[in-house]
Amino acid sequence: SDKGIALDNYCFHQCVRLSKFDVDREITFIPPDGQFELMKYRITENIESPFKLLPSIKALSRNRLELSLQITAMYDRNINASNVVINFPCPRNTARVHVHNKGDGKAKFESAQNLISWKLKRFPGRMEYSLLAEAEMASTVTDKAWVKPPITMSFEVPQFTASGLRVRFLKIQEKSNYKPVKWIRYLTKAGSFQHRIGDRI
């Protein structure tokens, strides 16, 4: 059975016939010229994340940390994410980082931002990659507890909807001789994708 999707709020373009949507849940409209945004919506429940992250931070000594991250693509095998960037934070007093294993893509330490930037041009569905690195910290006068920022990501996943909202059918009524081409493309982009790291080291 179709349980539907609970929208916290939504907003339509002014060309949409709201009375039709209220009764039939169909979006009927006469489009304006050019490109426009038909609908905006927000949901906070039952969101399907495209990636599963398993980070780990272990203290090897007072000034050395082992950083590891396992990331799995949760979407179908026939889908490929692109322009994937994963930023793994490091302590502020990090002097250098040695990346031992990056699985795929390119990973390097960005000292200005105190993070490891791991970039993958392509991330196939159901694939799993791992990152292993060792960070060396410079000695400081006062050793304050490290408040770990979250891991952040940016990516694009075509043909995937985190909300589960999909277009069931698209019907075009054209009275002139013009023959429109109908097609639907789904694209999920990371707006502010964050994954918190546990407090334990």
Side-chain angles (χ1 to χ4, degrees), residues 88-118:
F88 198 128
C90 298
R92 287 187 176 181
N93 61 330
T94 299
R96 63 183 63 87
V97 173
H98 303 282
V99 179
H100 301 299
N101 176 29
K102 60 182 182 306
D104 197 14
K106 296 180 180 179
K108 66 176 182 177
F109 175 60
E110 301 286 354
S111 58
Q113 288 119 337
N114 290 307
L115 56 81
I116 300 172
S117 180
W118 185 15

Side-chain angles (χ1 to χ4, degrees), residues 48-50 74-75 79 157-162 166 186-188:
E48 184 179 351
S49 176
M74 305 305 292
Y75 40 88
I79 296 176
V157 187
Q159 304 304 317
F160 174 84
T161 59
R166 290 183 173 273
Y186 298 99
L187 179 64
T188 296

Side-chain angles (χ1 to χ4, degrees), residues 159-172:
Q159 304 304 317
F160 174 84
T161 59
S163 65
L165 195 66
R166 290 183 173 273
V167 177
R168 290 256 178 113
F169 68 91
L170 175 62
K171 183 178 180 181
I172 300 177

Side-chain angles (χ1 to χ4, degrees), residues 10-64:
Y10 54 87
C11 178
F12 290 114
H13 188 274
Q14 60 185 8
C15 68
V16 174
R17 292 171 54 189
L18 297 179
S19 58
K20 182 74 172 176
F21 178 78
D22 291 339
V23 175
D24 301 329
R25 283 298 186 258
E26 292 183 5
I27 304 174
T28 305
F29 60 97
I30 299 175
D33 293 334
Q35 186 174 341
F36 69 101
E37 189 173 70
L38 180 65
M39 176 185 179
K40 293 191 295 185
Y41 65 92
R42 182 172 69 92
I43 66 170
T44 54
E45 296 181 356
N46 300 319
I47 299 173
E48 184 179 351
S49 176
F51 296 100
K52 179 182 178 182
L53 283 73
L54 293 174
S56 175
I57 300 177
K58 295 179 182 179
L60 301 178
S61 65
R62 186 173 179 178
N63 64 341
R64 288 168 57 230

Side-chain angles (χ1 to χ4, degrees), residues 48 50 72-79 123-128:
E48 184 179 351
T72 307
M74 305 305 292
Y75 40 88
D76 293 337
R77 287 186 173 86
N78 61 337
I79 296 176
F123 204 130
R126 303 300 178 187
M127 283 293 292
E128 180 182 291

